[in-house]
Amino acid sequence: MRLEINCQDRLGIAQDILDILVEHEINLRGIEIDEMGKIFLNFPNMEFSELQHLMPKIRKIDGIKDVKTAPFMPIEREQHQLQTLLKTLPDPVFSVNTKGRIILINDAVLTQLSLPQEMVVNLPIGDLLKGFNVSRWLESENPQAQVQKIRFLEQDYLVDMLPVMVPDIGGQSIMAGAVFLLKSEYRLGQQLTVFNQGTADNFVSIQADSKAMKNVIKDAKRMAELDEPIMMFGETGTGKQLLAKACHEGSSNKDGKFIVVDCRILAGKEASIEFFGENDEKLGLLDLANRGTLFLDEVADLPSDIQTKFLKILQSGYYQRVGESGSRPLEVRIISTTQKDLGALVQRGSFSEDLFYRLNVLSLFLPPLRERKSDIIALTERFIKQHSMKLGRQTPRLTKACTDYLQTYPWPGNIRQLENALYRTVSLLEGNEIDKFHIQLPSCSATSSIVSQEFNGSLEDEVKRFEKEILMRLYPSFPSSRQLAKRLGLSHTAVANKLRDYGINKKTVKII
């Protein structure tokens, strides 16, 4: 039988309750008082008629607010939760007292030792864990949590050694023992394998609170399931590679490799060998990416000779290594990125028009950080937490002035600039609060001038000039009013009318 008594904090109230129990000749098994002003009693079961007499008497005590039966004592719940946790843990766990003698073990220990619990409890922990002086650690002045390599039953383990601290009367912590959690090489390997596997939602690590980024993720999830090439547009540091990796992990090629190619460094006579491979002597990037994903970063800088050869490969589905006569089948998902105006490069003849349309089947447009302000603070808090964990320090908090500053800064380097700035801040921070002056960033205007110095027309004329320039620059990449409307967030009719008014079409812009 358990009772839960809700009462005031009054001196002597517990004694008054105990007097009633003595009066009814009730043998008390346990009493517990929590911080919320409740007293829990544990005593043998009694008849309902007896309980009907007992509870009203307790309610009459000065300071008692309510009395009711309880299914269990709080300490009982905690003990059973701990026992359940220990039973389900597959790794050996030992709990010891300050003398290093075992007081608690889990089923994994008993299974490996093939001994009953009574033969293990009270043994010195040093009899079972070899290779490290546990007694010396327990007897040290201020033992800290640490990881050590030990041997248990002639097998190597990593052990997490965790001191158990209990607050004393003066509010200081005193050591009451320690817990040892063992991990075998096999178990660590299992956990690492699971850690490196894709999650059920491969896009969960991408911050998307803003409407703009939510739309990007929504489109990317659908495109990931398709086999056609994806072209990602966006400024430097907007997270194109992270999004591409998520698309790879959500594709049918997820079991293959994700090969990153920085097209800016593919130059010279060795570039073709690097890209296509050479005879049987050297694997190329296409070999490595076969049955996986080839990520072409800054594809606008792909050398023209490789553009020509790569186009033929995409058209035929076969490739040849340099110096090789036979062809090899290619099954690869292509994801490309650019922060340049590929449409303009096509017009100037510096990028293959046919290759452009081969790569730009599906399009994703990553907005700059300044256009997704609702993501800035969430990203900031994530980066601060990550950097703090790496540096082994407490996660600092942000002041209101700091959050306001972060949301108004234009971030020309986008997410990459934000992450780097926060790493510097957390590394050098003294204290546990980040204010505006701790964030060292180059001065940068939130807006750039879009008006020519020779401007001498009306506001309406300049707005039309700027609007036409935007449409002219975007139309080669979105050669239909529907595609362009989606890119600009306008209605199809509005964009169609503007294209007609400005005389922009496939003939005038030289787009097929």
Side-chain angles (χ1 to χ4, degrees):
M1 176 71 66
R2 282 87 169 165
L3 289 185
E4 177 183 325
I5 303 173
N6 196 343
C7 58
Q8 296 176 353
D9 183 10
R10 177 176 68 79
L11 184 65
I13 196 168
Q15 184 61 55
D16 292 342
I17 296 171
L18 294 176
D19 289 342
I20 292 178
L21 297 182
V22 171
E23 179 185 338
H24 284 257
E25 298 183 346
I26 295 174
N27 183 23
L28 185 65
R29 290 176 175 172
I31 182 170
E32 189 175 347
I33 303 174
D34 72 3
E35 297 177 354
M36 303 300 293
K38 292 181 179 180
I39 298 175
F40 293 85
L41 303 177
N42 181 3
F43 49 82
N45 290 340
M46 61 172 54
E47 296 294 334
F48 181 71
S49 57
E50 292 183 70
L51 190 62
Q52 280 185 311
H53 287 93
L54 175 66
M55 293 177 67
K57 285 188 177 182
I58 296 177
R59 287 193 182 99
K60 291 179 181 179
I61 296 174
D62 182 30
I64 300 295
K65 300 176 182 177
D66 187 29
V67 181
K68 60 182 179 180
T69 59
F72 45 75
M73 304 280 281
I75 190 64
E76 289 178 312
R77 181 186 64 240
E78 293 175 8
Q79 288 174 343
H80 283 83
Q81 285 175 335
L82 177 60
Q83 290 173 2
T84 301
L85 179 63
L86 286 173
K87 277 183 173 294
T88 56
L89 278 175
D91 304 303
V93 178
F94 298 87
S95 179
V96 302
N97 60 21
T98 54
K99 301 297 184 181
R101 290 193 173 272
I102 298 170
I103 56 177
L104 185 65
I105 52 177
N106 68 343
D107 288 353
V109 173
L110 297 176
T111 300
Q112 295 196 35
L113 288 173
S114 299
L115 292 173
Q117 182 168 326
E118 56 269 19
M119 292 187 65
V120 181
V121 171
N122 208 37
L123 284 176
I125 189 68
D127 288 358
L128 299 178
L129 305 187
K130 308 293 184 179
F132 180 77
N133 195 327
V134 177
S135 297
R136 184 179 299 171
W137 176 74
L138 286 168
E139 293 168 3
S140 60
E141 184 175 346
N142 185 26
Q144 299 294 313
Q146 58 179 283
V147 178
Q148 291 290 339
K149 185 177 180 180
I150 56 93
R151 288 186 69 79
F152 173 54
L153 297 178
E154 302 303 320
Q155 183 180 350
D156 288 334
Y157 284 83
L158 286 182
V159 57
D160 283 305
M161 303 166 54
L162 309 170
V164 176
M165 309 303 291
V166 177
D168 64 8
I169 298 176
Q172 300 296 318
S173 292
I174 58 175
M175 189 170 179
V179 173
F180 300 88
L181 175 61
L182 279 60
K183 286 276 176 60
S184 68
E185 183 179 5
Y186 172 73
R187 283 281 297 150
L188 289 170
Q190 280 185 318
Q191 293 171 336
L192 188 60
T193 299
V194 173
F195 180 80
N196 289 326
Q197 288 176 348
T199 60
D201 182 359
N202 303 296
F203 297 85
V204 70
S205 62
I206 301 175
Q207 184 62 44
D209 286 339
S210 64
K211 182 179 178 180
M213 204 58 197
K214 284 181 179 179
N215 290 335
V216 171
I217 299 301
K218 179 182 176 181
D219 290 343
K221 286 182 177 181
R222 297 171 63 185
M223 292 180 186
E225 299 173 353
L226 306 175
D227 296 326
E228 297 301 324
I230 300 175
M231 178 77 76
M232 295 184 178
F233 299 88
E235 297 177 7
T236 182
T238 48
K240 297 185 288 293
Q241 182 170 331
L242 182 63
L243 184 61
K245 185 69 183 300
C247 288
H248 164 71
E249 292 173 349
S251 72
S252 58
N253 287 5
K254 63 183 178 181
D255 293 331
K257 293 182 178 180
F258 179 76
I259 301 298
V260 178
V261 182
D262 187 347
C263 298
R264 293 166 293 191
I265 63 174
L266 284 175
K269 62 181 181 179
E270 298 297 324
S272 290
I273 295 176
E274 183 73 20
F275 199 80
F276 302 105
E278 183 178 22
N279 293 322
D280 293 328
E281 301 173 10
K282 179 178 174 59
L283 294 177
L285 294 168
L286 294 184
D287 292 302
L288 298 174
N290 210 358
R291 303 185 189 282
T293 298
L294 185 68
F295 177 68
L296 300 174
D297 193 21
E298 292 305 326
V299 70
D301 294 309
L302 197 65
S304 57
D305 59 326
I306 294 182
Q307 289 183 35
T308 303
K309 294 177 182 177
F310 193 44
L311 174 61
K312 293 179 180 179
I313 290 171
L314 295 179
Q315 290 171 334
S316 66
Y318 290 85
Y319 71 103
Q320 288 180 317
R321 293 178 183 171
V322 175
E324 190 176 56
S325 57
S327 297
R328 301 168 182 267
L330 181 68
E331 182 185 333
V332 67
R333 177 74 179 277
I334 307 295
I335 301 180
S336 309
T337 75
T338 182
Q339 54 178 312
K340 295 183 179 179
D341 188 341
L342 269 183
L345 295 178
V346 168
Q347 287 187 32
R348 293 200 295 267
S350 57
F351 194 86
S352 167
E353 184 176 46
D354 289 336
L355 181 58
F356 171 71
Y357 288 115
R358 280 280 179 179
L359 298 177
N360 190 26
V361 178
L362 303 171
S363 301
L364 287 171
F365 309 91
L366 277 74
L369 190 56
R370 60 184 172 275
E371 293 180 9
R372 37 186 296 212
K373 292 185 180 298
S374 56
D375 289 327
I376 291 176
I377 300 306
L379 282 166
T380 297
E381 291 174 344
R382 176 187 293 185
F383 290 144
I384 289 175
K385 186 175 182 179
Q386 290 174 353
H387 297 329
S388 297
M389 290 178 65
K390 289 179 182 178
L391 295 168
R393 60 160 297 156
Q394 185 178 354
T395 303
R397 57 185 177 272
L398 296 166
T399 66
K400 178 65 165 56
C402 185
T403 58
D404 291 343
Y405 174 57
L406 293 172
Q407 289 179 302
T408 55
Y409 189 77
W411 300 110
N414 293 291
I415 300 173
R416 186 180 300 118
Q417 182 187 14
L418 173 64
E419 182 175 10
N420 292 341
L422 292 172
Y423 180 76
R424 180 189 185 279
T425 300
V426 174
S427 300
L428 303 180
L429 183 67
E430 295 180 1
N432 200 38
E433 187 175 78
I434 299 178
D435 208 340
K436 173 182 175 180
F437 62 85
H438 290 119
I439 310 289
Q440 298 297 315
L441 292 167
S443 58
C444 185
S445 174
T447 58
S448 58
S449 176
I450 59 174
V451 180
S452 169
Q453 291 183 352
E454 291 79 23
F455 167 65
N456 57 9
S458 67
L459 176 61
E460 183 180 1
D461 292 338
E462 192 61 26
V463 169
K464 286 183 177 180
R465 180 196 65 77
F466 181 61
E467 188 175 65
K468 181 178 180 180
E469 182 179 330
I470 290 177
L471 294 172
M472 288 285 288
R473 287 176 61 86
L474 290 177
Y475 191 72
S477 300
F478 313 93
S480 79
S481 55
R482 292 191 183 278
Q483 292 180 30
L484 194 53
K486 183 178 180 181
R487 171 66 180 90
L488 294 172
L490 299 174
S491 69
H492 166 244
T493 303
V495 171
N497 290 337
K498 291 180 185 295
L499 293 175
R500 184 183 65 251
D501 293 343
Y502 295 129
I504 300 174
N505 52 54
K506 293 179 180 179
K507 293 182 179 179
T508 59
V509 188
K510 298 180 182 179
I511 291 294
I512 298 175

